[in-house]
Amino acid sequence: QVRLVESGGGLVQAGGSLRLSCAASGRTDRNYLMGWFRQAPGKERETVATISWNGASQFVQYSLGDRFSISRDNAKNTVALQMNRLKIEDTAVYYCAALEGTGFTTDRARFDYWGQGTQVTVSS
């Protein structure tokens, strides 16, 4: 089992940047596909970005363009989500999740392990 803890959320003005981090602990000796997801009030949880176990494959939600990027540091057991030019509609709780294995998917239903989430609020 792997445990995930997100950090880096907060309040930011529109146009600003935030960098979220997800720290994994526990069975980090295995390979995991990692992902970031978000859930805004009254909306379903959606996939923001995913990254394969070795970083070779990445997906970022198309509607986010080049504003968001995902990266990982396996030596530190961390995954980051860099968010630039934030918009009010980016306000949501952001979750980190993991799926054991070397495969790749963007389907949030397949992820086994989830963090508690971190709130991101973008103000005008």
Side-chain angles (χ1 to χ4, degrees):
Q1 186 174 357
V2 65
R3 293 177 293 277
L4 306 172
V5 178
E6 303 95 336
S7 61
L11 175 64
V12 63
Q13 284 192 325
S17 297
L18 279 176
R19 185 176 179 85
L20 305 183
S21 183
C22 173
S25 61
R27 294 303 303 268
T28 58
D29 56 323
R30 298 181 175 178
N31 297 317
Y32 295 93
L33 168 69
M34 300 297 295
W36 284 98
F37 304 81
R38 69 184 182 183
Q39 188 165 18
K43 295 187 177 181
E44 288 191 359
R45 194 170 298 187
E46 62 177 358
T47 304
V48 174
T50 60
I51 186 168
S52 61
W53 70 280
N54 60 357
S57 297
Q58 299 180 21
F59 166 83
V60 177
Q61 187 188 112
Y62 302 123
S63 65
L64 298 173
D66 63 351
R67 298 191 299 118
F68 287 25
S69 61
I70 188 171
S71 61
R72 67 189 297 162
D73 185 338
N74 286 344
K76 297 180 179 179
N77 297 317
T78 58
V79 178
L81 182 69
Q82 179 67 41
M83 306 185 294
N84 300 322
R85 306 194 305 279
L86 283 160
K87 302 178 180 181
I88 292 175
E89 52 263 41
D90 294 320
T91 295
V93 178
Y94 284 71
Y95 298 90
C96 175
L99 171 62
E100 186 176 345
T102 58
F104 191 83
T105 184
T106 62
D107 182 358
R108 63 178 171 83
R110 295 189 56 192
F111 283 74
D112 297 318
Y113 306 103
W114 291 82
Q116 293 299 306
T118 185
Q119 176 71 46
V120 171
T121 303
V122 184
S123 65
S124 60

